[in-house]
Amino acid sequence: MEVVTFETNDGKTRYYLADDSAVPIQPVLNYLRFEDNRGLARNTLRLHCIQMKHFFTFLEQKELEYTQATVDNLAEFIAWLKWPKIYEKVIPMQLEPAVRAQTINSNVDTVLGFYNYLLLHEEYENQLSQKLVKFVRSPQKNYRAFLNGIADKKREKRYLLHLPVPQQKIKTVAKEDVNTLIKATNNIRDYFLLYLLFETGMRIGEALSLWLEDFDISAGTITIHDRGEMENLSEIKTVSSPRKLDCTQDLLEVFTEYVCFFHTEGIKTNHVFIKMMGRNAGKAMDYTDVDNLFRKLRKKTGIYITPHMFRHTSLSLLNSAGWEPELLRIRAGHKNIYTTLNTYVHPSDDEVSEAFKKVSENLRMPGKEASE
């Protein structure tokens, strides 16, 4: 079972799942084409192809056809994702699941989406996806909405096989470590990239999608445009990603210096970030180049860092500075305000400790002070 990368007639990079004989698995190919026509992002299509590989590998080990899968088989698939070697004769001791609950739920969602797609075709009769969905009324709110008691309460879709997801804190980096990382760069391009990610909180795909004309030095803004899939495979993640970001004059000065130094007459691309060496010098920088850069920075500084940690750090600092959630949502390019609230609008451990210290006197037991 293998995920195969290919190029379409119109030059787009796409993926399909092939069996051990290198033959495309037709139902998965049809499903991915359906999702592509719906407008899903390239990275999402790649992720779904990988997740379908997991599911069909599981079916292969169980000696099942995809049309024979039952609710019990999907529950077994979840156990298989937790411990992939569960069906081997010798099972190594493993106290923790191999993957997180969020990842397992994502795999299940993709598989159910696949069966939902099959359900649209009359020749497929196994309504597996429908059997695993239930609708529940929204939790009771502390306030009563208009027409409460007259209009029906909104019903929410729940998947029966979803695992509970523990609350996890986002990974950020200390500001002094940001300074160390930026100083550890070897050239102004990498310096500018890290500075940009830290100040703006934009996604790495958005940074790689920037063109020179997206920077307005007089207005002090950077505009993120949706230009579709680009030559370096960068693309905008959501419909809310296109936006205008205010930035400091310091950042724009670094941008100007970088452009003057590297964007000479011989450069043929409008992409801001370009490759600097090798036979592809002058072409748009891609995700592999970014991965290599951050791998070198981790090794050089001993600081664990990813591009997305700069985003988390930047937006968390704005939240700590008192930004309203709606302003954070626009700055982050989130479609849903609840994504912003659940990710960034929460107190840190230090803030909780400081708040406790302010009221700790109110919690002291009577007579305790006298006994001291």
Side-chain angles (χ1 to χ4, degrees):
M1 209 78 65
E2 180 184 7
V3 173
V4 180
T5 304
F6 70 98
E7 188 172 295
T8 62
N9 293 332
D10 54 355
K12 294 181 179 179
T13 300
R14 291 296 180 264
Y15 312 91
Y16 68 85
L17 184 61
D19 60 21
D20 294 337
S21 301
V23 177
I25 299 177
Q26 196 61 43
V28 177
L29 179 62
N30 294 342
Y31 174 52
L32 293 174
R33 186 183 294 120
F34 170 75
E35 290 198 314
D36 191 11
N37 291 333
R38 285 177 52 212
L40 268 64
R42 179 192 59 83
N43 279 333
T44 303
L45 295 173
R46 178 176 177 272
L47 175 63
H48 286 187
C49 191
I50 293 172
Q51 291 170 334
M52 292 308 300
K53 174 188 174 182
H54 294 159
F55 182 60
F56 272 74
T57 300
F58 162 77
L59 292 177
E60 188 176 61
Q61 291 185 11
K62 294 285 293 182
E63 298 182 351
L64 285 172
E65 295 292 331
Y66 71 94
T67 54
Q68 299 173 321
T70 65
V71 172
D72 290 334
N73 293 138
L74 279 187
E76 290 177 314
F77 176 55
I78 291 176
W80 182 84
L81 288 171
K82 289 181 179 179
W83 298 283
K85 298 183 179 181
I86 194 171
Y87 296 117
E88 295 185 6
K89 292 182 178 179
V90 179
I91 305 176
M93 181 175 291
Q94 183 176 340
L95 301 180
E96 296 293 333
V99 294
R100 298 181 304 166
Q102 296 99 315
T103 305
I104 292 175
N105 290 343
S106 177
N107 275 266
V108 171
D109 287 346
T110 298
V111 171
L112 292 179
F114 169 68
Y115 280 106
N116 267 327
Y117 166 75
L118 296 178
L119 193 62
L120 298 175
H121 298 76
E122 295 181 358
E123 66 269 17
Y124 184 75
E125 298 179 355
N126 186 358
Q127 298 184 358
L128 181 60
S129 58
Q130 297 301 306
K131 296 174 183 177
L132 292 171
V133 173
K134 67 176 180 178
F135 290 88
V136 298
R137 296 193 182 279
S138 300
Q140 184 65 39
K141 303 286 195 310
N142 292 329
Y143 61 90
R144 293 183 180 274
F146 180 62
L147 296 182
N148 182 72
I150 300 176
D152 288 338
K153 291 183 179 179
K154 182 180 178 181
R155 297 167 68 85
E156 296 180 354
K157 181 186 290 187
R158 299 281 177 85
Y159 291 112
L160 299 180
L161 286 180
H162 266 190
L163 297 179
V165 177
Q167 184 69 33
Q168 290 189 332
K169 295 182 179 179
I170 56 175
K171 294 181 179 180
T172 59
V173 58
K175 193 172 181 179
E176 54 270 23
D177 288 340
V178 172
N179 189 44
T180 300
L181 289 160
I182 290 179
K183 288 183 177 180
T185 56
N186 294 325
N187 55 71
I188 193 171
R189 183 204 65 182
D190 297 343
Y191 180 96
F192 173 55
L193 175 60
L194 267 62
Y195 197 162
L196 176 77
L197 294 176
F198 173 69
E199 182 175 308
T200 65
M202 68 174 64
R203 304 173 179 93
I204 185 60
E206 294 169 346
L208 294 178
S209 298
L210 291 174
W211 285 7
L212 296 174
E213 53 263 42
D214 296 336
F215 287 74
D216 189 333
I217 296 178
S218 60
T221 61
I222 303 171
T223 303
I224 299 175
H225 294 281
D226 185 357
R227 297 185 172 99
E229 187 177 315
M230 311 187 81
E231 61 179 283
N232 58 353
L233 299 184
S234 62
E235 57 188 339
I236 301 306
K237 184 177 181 182
T238 70
V239 294
S240 299
S241 293
R243 61 196 186 279
K244 184 175 290 186
L245 298 173
D246 294 294
C247 56
T248 64
Q249 195 60 39
D250 289 344
L251 179 66
L252 292 175
E253 287 177 1
V254 179
F255 164 72
T256 303
E257 184 180 353
Y258 161 67
V259 171
C260 291
F261 193 81
F262 281 103
H263 275 269
T264 59
E265 293 182 0
I267 302 300
K268 304 300 182 183
T269 181
N270 275 3
H271 281 271
V272 171
F273 294 101
I274 57 175
K275 299 174 185 286
M276 297 171 53
M277 296 183 296
R279 57 188 178 89
N280 291 320
K283 292 185 177 181
M285 190 177 183
D286 56 32
Y287 291 104
T288 301
D289 299 319
V290 174
D291 287 340
N292 291 336
L293 167 61
F294 275 78
R295 190 178 298 111
K296 291 176 182 177
L297 288 173
R298 288 193 292 266
K299 184 176 181 180
K300 186 174 183 179
T301 64
I303 300 170
Y304 180 78
I305 186 68
T306 66
H308 214 66
M309 287 173 66
F310 278 103
R311 172 174 168 84
H312 287 328
T313 302
S314 178
L315 294 170
S316 295
L317 286 173
L318 291 177
N319 174 61
S320 298
W323 269 44
E324 295 294 330
E326 181 60 17
L327 296 178
L328 274 178
R329 183 193 70 80
I330 296 172
R331 181 80 173 180
H334 288 154
K335 179 180 179 181
N336 195 321
I337 185 64
Y338 292 107
T339 303
T340 311
L341 293 172
N342 292 334
T343 307
Y344 299 108
V345 184
H346 51 76
S348 66
D349 289 343
D350 291 340
E351 290 170 332
V352 172
S353 297
E354 188 63 28
F356 174 76
K357 290 176 183 177
K358 291 180 180 180
V359 300
S360 60
E361 287 297 322
N362 298 334
L363 300 176
R364 299 187 71 174
M365 295 297 293
K368 177 63 177 174
E369 188 173 345
S371 65
E372 292 177 351

